[in-house]
Amino acid sequence: MKSVCVYCGSSDGAKPLYREAAKAFGRALVAANLSLVYGGGKVGLMGVIADEVMAAGGRAIGVIPELLVNKEVGHDGLSELHVVPNMHHRKKMMADLSDAFVAMPGGAGTLEELFEVFTWAQLGYHQKAVAVLNIDGFYDPLISMLEHTVQEGFMRQAYFDILQVDSDPAALIGRLQRYQPPLQDKWADRRERV
Ligand code: AMP
């Protein structure tokens, strides 16, 4: 594993601990010799983690759509900043450049990005780890919703288990490194039945 895609809020969050945890995760990536791939902005937790990675001597690669270069303030101090035509290009490039995906706390944009790579893992489009850094229990309500989804028969336990969860940056990186994808994609047993 060489690089980790980190999805994170374009806001700082309500408590200082979110910024502190983003910094700790940035340092943990550098300590593990992993490059950061992220949305390329200077705002919110995006900017915090990128600044920390660069300050710690690591490598940060940003991917930002033209439309957002001004709004999310394209970061001018990165190892690489790719300005791409639109959001679809951004997500594809971020995914192609990364060996694993982690969502830190964020809003609708972060959740959308997380769910895209989570569902693509279920469908077998990729075999990379998908995780949340569960800072101060931020993702507990989402995990409860997903458990409910399994209990109610809309998701298999095996696919729920794809999602790696940890509150500790170094422990989360360990989970990414040990991750084994499910043996079958979501439709495999249905194919076998026909
Ligand atoms: P947010 O979590 O809403 O603060 O957004 C975090 C990041 O997700 C920002 O860089 C947004 O540009 C990005 N984002 C917002 N909407 C989408 C979307 N539909 N698809 C992918 N990324 C998005």
Side-chain angles (χ1 to χ4, degrees), residues 8-11 46 68 72 87 90-91 106-110 112-113:
C8 45
S10 52
S11 310
M46 279 204 281
L68 297 183
E72 295 188 350
M87 198 61 97
R90 178 199 235 178
K91 290 196 287 187
T110 302
E112 196 274 349
E113 292 170 311

Side-chain angles (χ1 to χ4, degrees), residues 16-36:
L17 63 85
Y18 293 119
R19 289 177 61 89
E20 292 312 313
K23 287 183 188 176
F25 191 43
R27 288 192 298 273
L29 288 173
V30 177
N33 205 17
L34 292 166
S35 299
L36 167 72

Side-chain angles (χ1 to χ4, degrees), residues 3-174:
S3 55
V4 175
C5 178
V6 180
Y7 302 125
C8 45
S10 52
S11 310
D12 284 342
K15 302 179 208 146
L17 63 85
Y18 293 119
R19 289 177 61 89
E20 292 312 313
K23 287 183 188 176
F25 191 43
R27 288 192 298 273
L29 288 173
V30 177
N33 205 17
L34 292 166
S35 299
L36 167 72
V37 175
Y38 86 111
K42 256 189 192 169
V43 293
L45 295 188
M46 279 204 281
V48 173
I49 190 170
D51 286 344
E52 194 69 16
V53 165
M54 293 308 293
R59 201 171 142 70
I61 302 163
V63 185
I64 194 162
E66 278 165 19
L67 184 73
L68 297 183
V69 171
N70 292 329
K71 289 183 188 150
E72 295 188 350
V73 197
H75 201 303
D76 49 11
L78 302 174
S79 315
E80 289 174 31
L81 178 67
H82 300 274
V83 180
V84 294
N86 57 45
M87 198 61 97
H88 292 293
H89 281 85
R90 178 199 235 178
K91 290 196 287 187
K92 177 158 186 356
M93 189 167 195
M94 287 169 75
D96 288 347
L97 289 173
S98 308
D99 302 311
F101 306 97
V102 175
M104 292 201 305
T110 302
L111 294 173
E112 196 274 349
E113 292 170 311
L114 170 66
F115 272 94
E116 182 172 82
V117 290
F118 182 35
T119 54
W120 286 10
Q122 275 190 33
L123 294 169
Y125 279 113
H126 69 80
Q127 278 74 41
K128 301 171 185 177
V130 179
V132 295
L133 183 62
N134 195 18
I135 300 170
D136 199 34
F138 176 83
Y139 277 112
D140 288 353
L142 181 72
I143 293 157
S144 298
M145 181 68 213
L146 292 173
E147 282 167 352
H148 177 65
T149 307
V150 173
Q151 279 155 16
E152 294 304 308
F154 289 102
M155 190 192 297
R156 293 215 214 127
Q157 183 70 39
Y159 301 123
F160 173 71
D161 292 342
I162 289 173
L163 190 68
Q164 306 295 301
V165 182
D166 214 296
S167 57
D168 179 74
L172 188 70
I173 290 171

